[in-house]
Amino acid sequence: MMLRSLREQVAAQSRLLAAEGLVLGTAGNLSARQGDLVAITPTGARLADLRAEHITVIDQRGEVVEGSLAPTSELDLHLGIYRRFRAGAVVHTHAPMATALSLVLDELPCVHYQLVELGGTVPVAPYRTFGTPELADAVLDVLEGHTAALMANHGGITHGADLETATHRTLLLEWGCELYWKAAQLAKPRALDRAERDDYDRQTARLRYGSTQKID
Ligand SMILES: [Zn+2]
């Protein structure tokens, strides 16, 4: 099987997001790139049930190289992110909190320093019909300078150098959306300004914070 380990990763992270309640049924799609090839979830499949053999391998034009199932309908979105940002992985979900906030916000403010990893603020791409090049264009435009975006009346998307990072960012985005929602019940949440975000970046570099230490 081509790209066996990458396909296993895509299936495993799909099951993880389903187990975490971030994808319901078939709503969501994941992919990871190795060179010019992309391992991507199939259309119409329950993410909780995916195994390596269900993951399709495509090239940069979207042609199926190996796999018996047709790739996700959001193919243009995934391939566009690889082309524009040279990302290693893309995760798109209709996670409950991200989707809820996509109905009301024009931008998720940077309400916690952990969100700096997503680019600080999280932009909201305008609504376009699912699976269209117009949706891909709208999302690519707002992702400039960010690793996460909300998609109006649709869901959320993240990318990263590898699939673990992209999945972690999807979980972080959902956490940030829930945090904002809870705080917004009480009053208008305070957001970190540019200087505070830049200070966070400097402190991270100084302490190498965020690099996990291996515990034996
Ligand atoms: Zn979607």
Side-chain angles (χ1 to χ4, degrees):
M1 189 197 289
M2 285 177 77
L3 306 185
R4 173 182 282 278
S5 123
L6 203 64
R7 288 160 90 173
E8 274 168 1
Q9 279 180 47
V10 171
Q13 298 295 319
S14 298
R15 295 194 302 268
L16 182 143
L17 287 172
E20 292 282 339
L22 269 69
V23 300
L24 202 63
T26 64
N29 34 77
L30 288 76
S31 70
R33 181 177 65 82
Q34 187 172 306
D36 286 335
L37 296 178
V38 173
I40 193 161
T41 51
T43 186
R46 281 171 45 82
L47 272 75
D49 301 334
L50 288 182
R51 294 192 309 274
E53 62 266 33
H54 302 131
I55 306 302
T56 303
V57 178
I58 57 171
D59 63 20
Q60 292 291 317
R61 290 167 304 146
E63 301 294 329
V64 174
V65 177
E66 192 177 273
S68 53
L69 301 171
T72 171
S73 50
E74 296 297 3
L75 199 58
D76 288 334
L77 188 54
H78 287 254
L79 292 177
I81 290 175
Y82 292 125
R83 266 196 299 273
R84 175 119 41 130
F85 304 108
R86 293 306 291 165
V90 177
V91 174
H92 163 58
T93 72
H94 301 174
M97 276 298 151
T99 307
L101 294 196
S102 83
L103 312 182
V104 294
L105 291 184
D106 296 318
E107 180 182 81
L108 174 68
C110 185
V111 288
H112 192 284
Y113 67 79
Q114 278 189 270
L115 299 183
V116 172
E117 182 181 339
L118 305 179
T121 57
V122 177
V124 182
Y127 179 80
R128 300 286 185 268
T129 307
F130 82 95
T132 59
E134 289 75 19
L135 175 63
D137 286 345
V139 174
L140 287 172
D141 283 348
V142 302
L143 270 175
E144 207 65 60
H146 301 266
T147 59
L150 298 176
M151 297 153 64
N153 304 75
H154 185 153
I157 189 152
T158 60
H159 65 82
D162 53 51
L163 190 55
E164 237 175 68
T165 304
T167 304
H168 160 74
R169 287 176 177 162
T170 283
L171 292 163
L172 180 61
L173 175 63
E174 186 68 358
W175 174 82
C177 287
E178 187 164 354
L179 181 69
Y180 176 88
W181 169 73
K182 282 178 179 163
Q185 312 296 308
L186 307 172
K188 187 176 190 295
R190 185 172 55 244
L192 302 180
D193 61 24
R194 166 64 66 184
E196 288 165 331
R197 278 148 43 194
D198 289 348
D199 277 349
Y200 165 82
D201 277 337
R202 276 191 288 276
Q203 181 72 338
T204 308
R206 194 173 75 81
L207 298 177
R208 292 177 47 80
Y209 175 79
S211 57
T212 36
Q213 301 193 65
K214 197 164 165 47
I215 300 166
D216 294 315

PDB file of all heavy atoms in Angstrom, residues 7-21 23-28 30 40-56 69:
ATOM      1  N   ARG A   7      -1.361   7.254   5.542  1.00  0.00           N
ATOM      2  CA  ARG A   7      -2.786   6.914   5.487  1.00  0.00           C
ATOM      3  C   ARG A   7      -3.266   6.438   6.858  1.00  0.00           C
ATOM      4  O   ARG A   7      -4.393   6.734   7.267  1.00  0.00           O
ATOM      5  CB  ARG A   7      -3.032   5.845   4.422  1.00  0.00           C
ATOM      6  CG  ARG A   7      -2.876   6.428   3.025  1.00  0.00           C
ATOM      7  CD  ARG A   7      -2.632   5.365   2.012  1.00  0.00           C
ATOM      8  NE  ARG A   7      -3.877   4.861   1.435  1.00  0.00           N
ATOM      9  CZ  ARG A   7      -3.899   4.008   0.405  1.00  0.00           C
ATOM     10  NH1 ARG A   7      -2.770   3.568  -0.112  1.00  0.00           N
ATOM     11  NH2 ARG A   7      -5.046   3.600  -0.083  1.00  0.00           N
ATOM     12  N   GLU A   8      -2.405   5.719   7.562  1.00  0.00           N
ATOM     13  CA  GLU A   8      -2.763   5.301   8.927  1.00  0.00           C
ATOM     14  C   GLU A   8      -2.943   6.518   9.825  1.00  0.00           C
ATOM     15  O   GLU A   8      -3.869   6.581  10.633  1.00  0.00           O
ATOM     16  CB  GLU A   8      -1.698   4.350   9.489  1.00  0.00           C
ATOM     17  CG  GLU A   8      -1.974   2.914   9.085  1.00  0.00           C
ATOM     18  CD  GLU A   8      -0.809   1.963   9.353  1.00  0.00           C
ATOM     19  OE1 GLU A   8       0.231   2.416   9.882  1.00  0.00           O
ATOM     20  OE2 GLU A   8      -0.947   0.778   9.003  1.00  0.00           O
ATOM     21  N   GLN A   9      -2.047   7.510   9.655  1.00  0.00           N
ATOM     22  CA  GLN A   9      -2.157   8.741  10.453  1.00  0.00           C
ATOM     23  C   GLN A   9      -3.462   9.474  10.170  1.00  0.00           C
ATOM     24  O   GLN A   9      -4.128   9.954  11.083  1.00  0.00           O
ATOM     25  CB  GLN A   9      -1.014   9.694  10.098  1.00  0.00           C
ATOM     26  CG  GLN A   9       0.315   9.407  10.754  1.00  0.00           C
ATOM     27  CD  GLN A   9       1.348  10.437  10.291  1.00  0.00           C
ATOM     28  OE1 GLN A   9       1.089  11.632  10.268  1.00  0.00           O
ATOM     29  NE2 GLN A   9       2.507   9.967   9.903  1.00  0.00           N
ATOM     30  N   VAL A  10      -3.819   9.587   8.890  1.00  0.00           N
ATOM     31  CA  VAL A  10      -5.050  10.305   8.513  1.00  0.00           C
ATOM     32  C   VAL A  10      -6.262   9.597   9.115  1.00  0.00           C
ATOM     33  O   VAL A  10      -7.166  10.238   9.678  1.00  0.00           O
ATOM     34  CB  VAL A  10      -5.178  10.430   6.978  1.00  0.00           C
ATOM     35  CG1 VAL A  10      -6.542  10.973   6.575  1.00  0.00           C
ATOM     36  CG2 VAL A  10      -4.064  11.323   6.420  1.00  0.00           C
ATOM     37  N   ALA A  11      -6.279   8.262   9.047  1.00  0.00           N
ATOM     38  CA  ALA A  11      -7.396   7.494   9.616  1.00  0.00           C
ATOM     39  C   ALA A  11      -7.431   7.658  11.136  1.00  0.00           C
ATOM     40  O   ALA A  11      -8.496   7.878  11.724  1.00  0.00           O
ATOM     41  CB  ALA A  11      -7.256   6.025   9.224  1.00  0.00           C
ATOM     42  N   ALA A  12      -6.254   7.577  11.773  1.00  0.00           N
ATOM     43  CA  ALA A  12      -6.196   7.660  13.244  1.00  0.00           C
ATOM     44  C   ALA A  12      -6.651   9.037  13.741  1.00  0.00           C
ATOM     45  O   ALA A  12      -7.410   9.139  14.714  1.00  0.00           O
ATOM     46  CB  ALA A  12      -4.776   7.362  13.730  1.00  0.00           C
ATOM     47  N   GLN A  13      -6.200  10.109  13.083  1.00  0.00           N
ATOM     48  CA  GLN A  13      -6.589  11.457  13.519  1.00  0.00           C
ATOM     49  C   GLN A  13      -8.073  11.707  13.230  1.00  0.00           C
ATOM     50  O   GLN A  13      -8.734  12.444  13.958  1.00  0.00           O
ATOM     51  CB  GLN A  13      -5.717  12.519  12.849  1.00  0.00           C
ATOM     52  CG  GLN A  13      -4.230  12.421  13.199  1.00  0.00           C
ATOM     53  CD  GLN A  13      -3.932  12.684  14.669  1.00  0.00           C
ATOM     54  OE1 GLN A  13      -4.495  13.571  15.288  1.00  0.00           O
ATOM     55  NE2 GLN A  13      -3.051  11.895  15.254  1.00  0.00           N
ATOM     56  N   SER A  14      -8.608  11.087  12.179  1.00  0.00           N
ATOM     57  CA  SER A  14     -10.051  11.197  11.891  1.00  0.00           C
ATOM     58  C   SER A  14     -10.846  10.567  13.026  1.00  0.00           C
ATOM     59  O   SER A  14     -11.820  11.148  13.516  1.00  0.00           O
ATOM     60  CB  SER A  14     -10.408  10.472  10.585  1.00  0.00           C
ATOM     61  OG  SER A  14      -9.733  11.059   9.489  1.00  0.00           O
ATOM     62  N   ARG A  15     -10.414   9.387  13.453  1.00  0.00           N
ATOM     63  CA  ARG A  15     -11.114   8.690  14.548  1.00  0.00           C
ATOM     64  C   ARG A  15     -10.999   9.486  15.842  1.00  0.00           C
ATOM     65  O   ARG A  15     -11.961   9.583  16.611  1.00  0.00           O
ATOM     66  CB  ARG A  15     -10.546   7.278  14.723  1.00  0.00           C
ATOM     67  CG  ARG A  15     -10.777   6.361  13.519  1.00  0.00           C
ATOM     68  CD  ARG A  15     -10.519   4.897  13.869  1.00  0.00           C
ATOM     69  NE  ARG A  15      -9.178   4.662  14.371  1.00  0.00           N
ATOM     70  CZ  ARG A  15      -8.111   4.307  13.632  1.00  0.00           C
ATOM     71  NH1 ARG A  15      -8.252   4.142  12.321  1.00  0.00           N
ATOM     72  NH2 ARG A  15      -6.937   4.105  14.178  1.00  0.00           N
ATOM     73  N   LEU A  16      -9.806  10.086  16.066  1.00  0.00           N
ATOM     74  CA  LEU A  16      -9.604  10.882  17.283  1.00  0.00           C
ATOM     75  C   LEU A  16     -10.569  12.073  17.316  1.00  0.00           C
ATOM     76  O   LEU A  16     -11.219  12.327  18.338  1.00  0.00           O
ATOM     77  CB  LEU A  16      -8.154  11.367  17.339  1.00  0.00           C
ATOM     78  CG  LEU A  16      -7.723  12.180  18.553  1.00  0.00           C
ATOM     79  CD1 LEU A  16      -6.299  11.821  18.949  1.00  0.00           C
ATOM     80  CD2 LEU A  16      -7.800  13.684  18.324  1.00  0.00           C
ATOM     81  N   LEU A  17     -10.693  12.784  16.196  1.00  0.00           N
ATOM     82  CA  LEU A  17     -11.578  13.956  16.170  1.00  0.00           C
ATOM     83  C   LEU A  17     -13.033  13.543  16.330  1.00  0.00           C
ATOM     84  O   LEU A  17     -13.824  14.255  16.949  1.00  0.00           O
ATOM     85  CB  LEU A  17     -11.366  14.750  14.874  1.00  0.00           C
ATOM     86  CG  LEU A  17     -10.045  15.528  14.830  1.00  0.00           C
ATOM     87  CD1 LEU A  17      -9.808  16.123  13.452  1.00  0.00           C
ATOM     88  CD2 LEU A  17     -10.028  16.644  15.878  1.00  0.00           C
ATOM     89  N   ALA A  18     -13.396  12.371  15.796  1.00  0.00           N
ATOM     90  CA  ALA A  18     -14.758  11.856  15.985  1.00  0.00           C
ATOM     91  C   ALA A  18     -14.979  11.526  17.459  1.00  0.00           C
ATOM     92  O   ALA A  18     -16.011  11.872  18.042  1.00  0.00           O
ATOM     93  CB  ALA A  18     -14.981  10.626  15.108  1.00  0.00           C
ATOM     94  N   ALA A  19     -13.976  10.880  18.084  1.00  0.00           N
ATOM     95  CA  ALA A  19     -14.091  10.505  19.502  1.00  0.00           C
ATOM     96  C   ALA A  19     -14.184  11.740  20.394  1.00  0.00           C
ATOM     97  O   ALA A  19     -14.857  11.733  21.426  1.00  0.00           O
ATOM     98  CB  ALA A  19     -12.900   9.646  19.914  1.00  0.00           C
ATOM     99  N   GLU A  20     -13.514  12.831  19.993  1.00  0.00           N
ATOM    100  CA  GLU A  20     -13.537  14.081  20.759  1.00  0.00           C
ATOM    101  C   GLU A  20     -14.828  14.874  20.538  1.00  0.00           C
ATOM    102  O   GLU A  20     -15.013  15.939  21.108  1.00  0.00           O
ATOM    103  CB  GLU A  20     -12.345  14.969  20.368  1.00  0.00           C
ATOM    104  CG  GLU A  20     -10.988  14.416  20.781  1.00  0.00           C
ATOM    105  CD  GLU A  20     -10.683  14.626  22.263  1.00  0.00           C
ATOM    106  OE1 GLU A  20     -11.300  15.513  22.878  1.00  0.00           O
ATOM    107  OE2 GLU A  20      -9.841  13.886  22.809  1.00  0.00           O
ATOM    108  N   GLY A  21     -15.680  14.382  19.621  1.00  0.00           N
ATOM    109  CA  GLY A  21     -16.948  15.062  19.348  1.00  0.00           C
ATOM    110  C   GLY A  21     -16.818  16.244  18.415  1.00  0.00           C
ATOM    111  O   GLY A  21     -17.713  17.070  18.303  1.00  0.00           O
ATOM    112  N   VAL A  23     -16.159  15.922  15.075  1.00  0.00           N
ATOM    113  CA  VAL A  23     -16.829  15.602  13.807  1.00  0.00           C
ATOM    114  C   VAL A  23     -17.984  14.654  14.098  1.00  0.00           C
ATOM    115  O   VAL A  23     -17.877  13.745  14.909  1.00  0.00           O
ATOM    116  CB  VAL A  23     -15.897  14.975  12.743  1.00  0.00           C
ATOM    117  CG1 VAL A  23     -14.768  15.896  12.384  1.00  0.00           C
ATOM    118  CG2 VAL A  23     -15.356  13.640  13.193  1.00  0.00           C
ATOM    119  N   LEU A  24     -19.101  14.944  13.428  1.00  0.00           N
ATOM    120  CA  LEU A  24     -20.298  14.144  13.606  1.00  0.00           C
ATOM    121  C   LEU A  24     -20.540  13.429  12.277  1.00  0.00           C
ATOM    122  O   LEU A  24     -20.651  14.084  11.241  1.00  0.00           O
ATOM    123  CB  LEU A  24     -21.460  15.096  13.939  1.00  0.00           C
ATOM    124  CG  LEU A  24     -22.652  14.486  14.665  1.00  0.00           C
ATOM    125  CD1 LEU A  24     -22.239  13.962  16.036  1.00  0.00           C
ATOM    126  CD2 LEU A  24     -23.741  15.538  14.827  1.00  0.00           C
ATOM    127  N   GLY A  25     -20.572  12.104  12.303  1.00  0.00           N
ATOM    128  CA  GLY A  25     -20.849  11.348  11.079  1.00  0.00           C
ATOM    129  C   GLY A  25     -19.801  11.597  10.017  1.00  0.00           C
ATOM    130  O   GLY A  25     -18.609  11.381  10.233  1.00  0.00           O
ATOM    131  N   THR A  26     -20.252  12.123   8.874  1.00  0.00           N
ATOM    132  CA  THR A  26     -19.365  12.294   7.722  1.00  0.00           C
ATOM    133  C   THR A  26     -18.859  13.736   7.595  1.00  0.00           C
ATOM    134  O   THR A  26     -18.172  14.063   6.633  1.00  0.00           O
ATOM    135  CB  THR A  26     -20.108  11.935   6.424  1.00  0.00           C
ATOM    136  OG1 THR A  26     -21.177  12.877   6.252  1.00  0.00           O
ATOM    137  CG2 THR A  26     -20.695  10.537   6.484  1.00  0.00           C
ATOM    138  N   ALA A  27     -19.221  14.602   8.558  1.00  0.00           N
ATOM    139  CA  ALA A  27     -18.934  16.037   8.425  1.00  0.00           C
ATOM    140  C   ALA A  27     -17.518  16.371   8.859  1.00  0.00           C
ATOM    141  O   ALA A  27     -17.243  16.487  10.051  1.00  0.00           O
ATOM    142  CB  ALA A  27     -19.933  16.849   9.227  1.00  0.00           C
ATOM    143  N   GLY A  28     -16.630  16.508   7.906  1.00  0.00           N
ATOM    144  CA  GLY A  28     -15.249  16.874   8.179  1.00  0.00           C
ATOM    145  C   GLY A  28     -14.344  16.129   7.227  1.00  0.00           C
ATOM    146  O   GLY A  28     -14.726  15.085   6.685  1.00  0.00           O
ATOM    147  N   LEU A  30      -9.881  15.404   6.366  1.00  0.00           N
ATOM    148  CA  LEU A  30      -8.487  15.565   6.773  1.00  0.00           C
ATOM    149  C   LEU A  30      -7.582  15.116   5.631  1.00  0.00           C
ATOM    150  O   LEU A  30      -7.948  14.211   4.871  1.00  0.00           O
ATOM    151  CB  LEU A  30      -8.156  14.679   7.979  1.00  0.00           C
ATOM    152  CG  LEU A  30      -8.708  15.044   9.363  1.00  0.00           C
ATOM    153  CD1 LEU A  30     -10.169  14.701   9.473  1.00  0.00           C
ATOM    154  CD2 LEU A  30      -7.930  14.314  10.440  1.00  0.00           C
ATOM    155  N   ILE A  40      -5.892  11.570   1.706  1.00  0.00           N
ATOM    156  CA  ILE A  40      -7.071  12.390   2.033  1.00  0.00           C
ATOM    157  C   ILE A  40      -8.280  11.509   2.335  1.00  0.00           C
ATOM    158  O   ILE A  40      -8.420  10.412   1.773  1.00  0.00           O
ATOM    159  CB  ILE A  40      -7.340  13.373   0.852  1.00  0.00           C
ATOM    160  CG1 ILE A  40      -8.334  14.459   1.237  1.00  0.00           C
ATOM    161  CG2 ILE A  40      -7.780  12.636  -0.425  1.00  0.00           C
ATOM    162  CD1 ILE A  40      -8.297  15.684   0.312  1.00  0.00           C
ATOM    163  N   THR A  41      -9.143  11.993   3.235  1.00  0.00           N
ATOM    164  CA  THR A  41     -10.331  11.216   3.601  1.00  0.00           C
ATOM    165  C   THR A  41     -11.307  11.164   2.421  1.00  0.00           C
ATOM    166  O   THR A  41     -11.406  12.107   1.644  1.00  0.00           O
ATOM    167  CB  THR A  41     -11.028  11.825   4.831  1.00  0.00           C
ATOM    168  OG1 THR A  41     -11.236  13.225   4.607  1.00  0.00           O
ATOM    169  CG2 THR A  41     -10.188  11.648   6.083  1.00  0.00           C
ATOM    170  N   PRO A  42     -12.062  10.059   2.311  1.00  0.00           N
ATOM    171  CA  PRO A  42     -13.013   9.907   1.205  1.00  0.00           C
ATOM    172  C   PRO A  42     -14.302  10.685   1.463  1.00  0.00           C
ATOM    173  O   PRO A  42     -14.600  11.043   2.598  1.00  0.00           O
ATOM    174  CB  PRO A  42     -13.273   8.405   1.175  1.00  0.00           C
ATOM    175  CG  PRO A  42     -13.057   7.959   2.585  1.00  0.00           C
ATOM    176  CD  PRO A  42     -12.004   8.863   3.160  1.00  0.00           C
ATOM    177  N   THR A  43     -15.052  10.936   0.425  1.00  0.00           N
ATOM    178  CA  THR A  43     -16.338  11.618   0.558  1.00  0.00           C
ATOM    179  C   THR A  43     -17.373  10.627   1.100  1.00  0.00           C
ATOM    180  O   THR A  43     -17.318   9.432   0.808  1.00  0.00           O
ATOM    181  CB  THR A  43     -16.768  12.210  -0.810  1.00  0.00           C
ATOM    182  OG1 THR A  43     -17.949  12.983  -0.609  1.00  0.00           O
ATOM    183  CG2 THR A  43     -17.030  11.148  -1.859  1.00  0.00           C
ATOM    184  N   GLY A  44     -18.266  11.139   1.930  1.00  0.00           N
ATOM    185  CA  GLY A  44     -19.403  10.336   2.387  1.00  0.00           C
ATOM    186  C   GLY A  44     -19.076   9.204   3.343  1.00  0.00           C
ATOM    187  O   GLY A  44     -19.886   8.291   3.504  1.00  0.00           O
ATOM    188  N   ALA A  45     -17.914   9.240   3.997  1.00  0.00           N
ATOM    189  CA  ALA A  45     -17.562   8.158   4.923  1.00  0.00           C
ATOM    190  C   ALA A  45     -17.613   8.672   6.362  1.00  0.00           C
ATOM    191  O   ALA A  45     -17.302   9.840   6.620  1.00  0.00           O
ATOM    192  CB  ALA A  45     -16.163   7.638   4.617  1.00  0.00           C
ATOM    193  N   ARG A  46     -18.021   7.820   7.273  1.00  0.00           N
ATOM    194  CA  ARG A  46     -18.025   8.185   8.693  1.00  0.00           C
ATOM    195  C   ARG A  46     -16.584   8.222   9.201  1.00  0.00           C
ATOM    196  O   ARG A  46     -15.875   7.211   9.135  1.00  0.00           O
ATOM    197  CB  ARG A  46     -18.836   7.166   9.502  1.00  0.00           C
ATOM    198  CG  ARG A  46     -20.353   7.358   9.421  1.00  0.00           C
ATOM    199  CD  ARG A  46     -21.075   6.173  10.065  1.00  0.00           C
ATOM    200  NE  ARG A  46     -20.453   5.820  11.341  1.00  0.00           N
ATOM    201  CZ  ARG A  46     -20.691   6.428  12.513  1.00  0.00           C
ATOM    202  NH1 ARG A  46     -21.560   7.420  12.552  1.00  0.00           N
ATOM    203  NH2 ARG A  46     -20.091   6.044  13.610  1.00  0.00           N
ATOM    204  N   LEU A  47     -16.178   9.372   9.714  1.00  0.00           N
ATOM    205  CA  LEU A  47     -14.774   9.515  10.115  1.00  0.00           C
ATOM    206  C   LEU A  47     -14.409   8.596  11.285  1.00  0.00           C
ATOM    207  O   LEU A  47     -13.260   8.184  11.408  1.00  0.00           O
ATOM    208  CB  LEU A  47     -14.459  10.980  10.438  1.00  0.00           C
ATOM    209  CG  LEU A  47     -14.018  11.766   9.193  1.00  0.00           C
ATOM    210  CD1 LEU A  47     -15.180  12.090   8.293  1.00  0.00           C
ATOM    211  CD2 LEU A  47     -13.252  13.013   9.561  1.00  0.00           C
ATOM    212  N   ALA A  48     -15.383   8.260  12.106  1.00  0.00           N
ATOM    213  CA  ALA A  48     -15.131   7.394  13.269  1.00  0.00           C
ATOM    214  C   ALA A  48     -14.730   5.984  12.846  1.00  0.00           C
ATOM    215  O   ALA A  48     -14.128   5.251  13.630  1.00  0.00           O
ATOM    216  CB  ALA A  48     -16.374   7.339  14.143  1.00  0.00           C
ATOM    217  N   ASP A  49     -15.080   5.589  11.619  1.00  0.00           N
ATOM    218  CA  ASP A  49     -14.856   4.210  11.166  1.00  0.00           C
ATOM    219  C   ASP A  49     -13.657   4.058  10.236  1.00  0.00           C
ATOM    220  O   ASP A  49     -13.386   2.957   9.755  1.00  0.00           O
ATOM    221  CB  ASP A  49     -16.096   3.701  10.394  1.00  0.00           C
ATOM    222  CG  ASP A  49     -17.353   3.728  11.242  1.00  0.00           C
ATOM    223  OD1 ASP A  49     -17.210   3.638  12.482  1.00  0.00           O
ATOM    224  OD2 ASP A  49     -18.449   3.850  10.683  1.00  0.00           O
ATOM    225  N   LEU A  50     -12.955   5.151   9.939  1.00  0.00           N
ATOM    226  CA  LEU A  50     -11.924   5.093   8.892  1.00  0.00           C
ATOM    227  C   LEU A  50     -10.702   4.270   9.292  1.00  0.00           C
ATOM    228  O   LEU A  50     -10.234   4.330  10.420  1.00  0.00           O
ATOM    229  CB  LEU A  50     -11.480   6.515   8.516  1.00  0.00           C
ATOM    230  CG  LEU A  50     -12.498   7.332   7.715  1.00  0.00           C
ATOM    231  CD1 LEU A  50     -11.921   8.697   7.380  1.00  0.00           C
ATOM    232  CD2 LEU A  50     -12.924   6.596   6.449  1.00  0.00           C
ATOM    233  N   ARG A  51     -10.215   3.498   8.316  1.00  0.00           N
ATOM    234  CA  ARG A  51      -8.949   2.781   8.456  1.00  0.00           C
ATOM    235  C   ARG A  51      -8.074   3.145   7.254  1.00  0.00           C
ATOM    236  O   ARG A  51      -8.560   3.721   6.264  1.00  0.00           O
ATOM    237  CB  ARG A  51      -9.206   1.272   8.505  1.00  0.00           C
ATOM    238  CG  ARG A  51      -9.969   0.824   9.753  1.00  0.00           C
ATOM    239  CD  ARG A  51      -9.948  -0.693   9.913  1.00  0.00           C
ATOM    240  NE  ARG A  51     -10.354  -1.391   8.712  1.00  0.00           N
ATOM    241  CZ  ARG A  51     -11.630  -1.668   8.392  1.00  0.00           C
ATOM    242  NH1 ARG A  51     -12.612  -1.301   9.193  1.00  0.00           N
ATOM    243  NH2 ARG A  51     -11.897  -2.305   7.275  1.00  0.00           N
ATOM    244  N   ALA A  52      -6.792   2.808   7.333  1.00  0.00           N
ATOM    245  CA  ALA A  52      -5.816   3.222   6.312  1.00  0.00           C
ATOM    246  C   ALA A  52      -6.296   2.910   4.895  1.00  0.00           C
ATOM    247  O   ALA A  52      -6.133   3.730   3.977  1.00  0.00           O
ATOM    248  CB  ALA A  52      -4.480   2.546   6.583  1.00  0.00           C
ATOM    249  N   GLU A  53      -6.901   1.740   4.696  1.00  0.00           N
ATOM    250  CA  GLU A  53      -7.303   1.343   3.332  1.00  0.00           C
ATOM    251  C   GLU A  53      -8.447   2.197   2.767  1.00  0.00           C
ATOM    252  O   GLU A  53      -8.721   2.157   1.572  1.00  0.00           O
ATOM    253  CB  GLU A  53      -7.659  -0.143   3.275  1.00  0.00           C
ATOM    254  CG  GLU A  53      -8.828  -0.571   4.135  1.00  0.00           C
ATOM    255  CD  GLU A  53      -8.401  -1.091   5.505  1.00  0.00           C
ATOM    256  OE1 GLU A  53      -7.377  -0.592   6.044  1.00  0.00           O
ATOM    257  OE2 GLU A  53      -9.082  -1.988   6.037  1.00  0.00           O
ATOM    258  N   HIS A  54      -9.127   2.962   3.643  1.00  0.00           N
ATOM    259  CA  HIS A  54     -10.210   3.848   3.169  1.00  0.00           C
ATOM    260  C   HIS A  54      -9.679   5.205   2.712  1.00  0.00           C
ATOM    261  O   HIS A  54     -10.426   6.002   2.144  1.00  0.00           O
ATOM    262  CB  HIS A  54     -11.227   4.092   4.288  1.00  0.00           C
ATOM    263  CG  HIS A  54     -11.851   2.847   4.816  1.00  0.00           C
ATOM    264  ND1 HIS A  54     -11.945   2.560   6.158  1.00  0.00           N
ATOM    265  CD2 HIS A  54     -12.396   1.785   4.164  1.00  0.00           C
ATOM    266  CE1 HIS A  54     -12.535   1.392   6.317  1.00  0.00           C
ATOM    267  NE2 HIS A  54     -12.815   0.891   5.129  1.00  0.00           N
ATOM    268  N   ILE A  55      -8.421   5.479   3.021  1.00  0.00           N
ATOM    269  CA  ILE A  55      -7.845   6.791   2.700  1.00  0.00           C
ATOM    270  C   ILE A  55      -7.341   6.769   1.255  1.00  0.00           C
ATOM    271  O   ILE A  55      -6.668   5.830   0.838  1.00  0.00           O
ATOM    272  CB  ILE A  55      -6.689   7.130   3.676  1.00  0.00           C
ATOM    273  CG1 ILE A  55      -7.157   7.011   5.133  1.00  0.00           C
ATOM    274  CG2 ILE A  55      -6.117   8.509   3.389  1.00  0.00           C
ATOM    275  CD1 ILE A  55      -8.348   7.881   5.527  1.00  0.00           C
ATOM    276  N   THR A  56      -7.694   7.807   0.512  1.00  0.00           N
ATOM    277  CA  THR A  56      -7.346   7.889  -0.906  1.00  0.00           C
ATOM    278  C   THR A  56      -6.053   8.687  -1.082  1.00  0.00           C
ATOM    279  O   THR A  56      -5.839   9.671  -0.370  1.00  0.00           O
ATOM    280  CB  THR A  56      -8.499   8.575  -1.670  1.00  0.00           C
ATOM    281  OG1 THR A  56      -9.697   7.825  -1.427  1.00  0.00           O
ATOM    282  CG2 THR A  56      -8.244   8.635  -3.156  1.00  0.00           C
ATOM    283  N   LEU A  69     -11.957   4.709  -3.078  1.00  0.00           N
ATOM    284  CA  LEU A  69     -13.025   5.656  -2.731  1.00  0.00           C
ATOM    285  C   LEU A  69     -12.700   7.046  -3.278  1.00  0.00           C
ATOM    286  O   LEU A  69     -11.546   7.463  -3.293  1.00  0.00           O
ATOM    287  CB  LEU A  69     -13.189   5.724  -1.210  1.00  0.00           C
ATOM    288  CG  LEU A  69     -13.541   4.394  -0.527  1.00  0.00           C
ATOM    289  CD1 LEU A  69     -13.462   4.521   0.986  1.00  0.00           C
ATOM    290  CD2 LEU A  69     -14.927   3.924  -0.953  1.00  0.00           C
TER     291      LEU A  69
END
